[in-house]
Amino acid sequence: MKILDAEFVKGFIRMCDDGFNQNWHERNGGNLSYRIKAEEVESVKEELDQNTSWQPIGTTVKDLAGEYFMVTGSGKYFRNVILDPAANTCIIEIDESGENYRICWGLVNGGRPTSELPSHLMNHEVKKIATNGMHRVIYHAHPANVIALTFVLPLEDRVFTRELWEMATECPVVFPSGVGVVGWMVPGGRDIAVATSELMKKYDVAVWAHHGLFASGEDFDLTFGLMHTVEKSAEILVKVLSIRPDKLQTITPQNFKDLARDFKVTLPEKFLYEK
Ligand code: 2HA
Ligand code: ZN
């Protein structure tokens, strides 16, 4: 099969375009990666070049040895992915040591995989283990309302989780384990990758202060939906805080417990504190 005819490639391209249309990807902001299923790799094998040279990832991801990923390119713009996927994205293979990658398809005009490759791959490794291989998508975007909140809320998991949960009843059902927060760090390197992947052991969402958001999920719909839900909730909170600094009424800890019972989700007690 031609790569551009594969369903996973179409899903990847659509997600990039949807993210751009949400205004989450100014310039070259954000990046997306998908851990390709073995049968999907097999279906496009004829188009994969296995003679390119290995490059260092910048970290070690032993549990991803031999895996293939579709990823956006470093410095490439999400708005251009739909126009020319082969120039703006690539498919990479991880070597047996988990320390190197090679480009098997794409980036036809040159370039490298996303600058956040260490964060993406370390998150994939953690999530592959934590979800028994179910999670396949890692998505980084720059949604304005979540970023705005990182200037006015304490940079604590318990505060971000609770405030976001309170803004929309669906939130605790969509991200019941909560949201992690990474304080400001230099992006692109191993240190921020380690900090983020540590949070991803517990959460499916990690906020990068004054920068953006990482989300992990099983497929494109669920991961895009997660990003969308968190940002929508942040938007409501920004509106509420803009109207007045306090709330007249809100969803209470008891309300959350009732919701958890009926929707059969487990909400960690640490987020259900009395204020
Ligand atoms: O430019 O979003 O974090 C891509 C990024 C870096
Ligand atoms: Zn970014």
Side-chain angles (χ1 to χ4, degrees):
M1 191 195 306
K2 286 285 178 205
I3 294 216
L4 294 180
D5 292 332
E7 285 306 317
F8 77 87
V9 175
K10 291 183 195 169
F12 188 101
I13 295 166
R14 178 177 171 222
M15 182 148 160
C16 290
D17 202 48
D18 285 347
F20 172 70
N21 287 320
Q22 288 294 328
N23 198 24
W24 298 340
H25 300 286
E26 75 291 341
R27 205 171 176 273
N28 61 320
N31 20 76
L32 175 64
S33 62
Y34 170 69
R35 186 166 58 85
I36 307 173
K37 296 176 181 164
E39 64 268 26
E40 291 170 333
V41 174
E42 209 45 53
S43 73
V44 298
K45 201 105 203 193
E46 70 208 30
E47 273 205 75
L48 299 181
D49 181 354
Q50 242 109 37
N51 297 307
T52 50
S53 58
W54 294 106
Q55 310 289 332
I57 295 167
T59 189
T60 310
V61 283
K62 271 226 169 335
D63 284 286
L64 299 180
E67 294 264 16
Y68 289 77
F69 293 85
M70 183 162 186
V71 300
T72 47
S74 176
K76 306 298 184 191
Y77 291 24
F78 267 53
R79 69 186 280 262
N80 292 335
V81 169
I82 196 166
L83 298 178
D84 195 351
N88 294 291
T89 73
C90 61
I91 291 178
I92 59 170
E93 179 189 1
I94 309 299
D95 75 354
E96 287 309 315
S97 70
E99 289 181 1
N100 303 288
Y101 72 87
R102 66 179 168 194
I103 297 175
C104 303
W105 177 86
L107 291 175
V108 292
N109 301 326
R112 287 178 289 112
T114 167
S115 59
E116 303 293 358
L117 193 64
S119 278
H120 277 259
L121 293 180
M122 291 190 81
N123 287 341
H124 274 293
E125 184 177 48
V126 159
K127 282 303 191 188
K128 184 183 171 188
I129 295 166
T131 68
N132 242 330
M134 294 295 282
H135 277 209
R136 293 189 170 273
V137 182
I138 298 288
Y139 183 29
H140 169 57
H142 296 172
N145 292 287
V146 170
I147 298 169
L149 291 178
T150 67
F151 294 89
V152 297
L153 292 183
L155 297 174
E156 296 169 16
D157 303 1
R158 65 196 290 276
V159 175
F160 267 77
T161 300
R162 178 62 178 276
E163 293 303 319
L164 292 170
W165 278 3
E166 278 187 39
M167 286 303 113
T169 297
E170 66 171 330
C171 284
V173 180
V174 176
F175 47 99
S177 50
V179 171
V181 184
V182 181
W184 189 88
M185 291 180 77
V186 177
R190 188 171 181 278
D191 291 350
I192 197 166
V194 169
T196 311
S197 60
E198 201 52 45
L199 291 174
M200 283 293 189
K201 289 178 184 167
K202 291 188 278 194
Y203 308 119
D204 292 339
V205 187
V207 176
W208 278 6
H210 323 325
H211 183 147
L213 198 63
F214 263 85
S216 171
E218 289 178 28
D219 58 26
F220 297 120
D221 274 351
L222 285 166
T223 316
F224 186 85
L226 178 56
M227 181 73 68
H228 210 176
T229 305
V230 172
E231 171 59 2
K232 176 78 179 278
S233 185
E235 182 182 351
I236 299 168
L237 184 52
V238 168
K239 288 185 198 296
V240 169
L241 293 173
S242 309
I243 299 168
R244 51 182 287 169
D246 57 338
K247 304 166 197 159
L248 276 189
Q249 54 274 320
T250 188
I251 305 172
T252 65
Q254 187 56 50
N255 293 154
F256 285 125
K257 286 175 189 161
D258 295 344
L259 190 70
R261 187 194 56 235
D262 280 16
F263 281 80
K264 298 181 177 39
V265 291
T266 306
L267 302 179
E269 201 60 41
K270 67 176 170 180
F271 300 132
L272 301 179
Y273 50 87
E274 295 293 337
K275 291 192 196 167

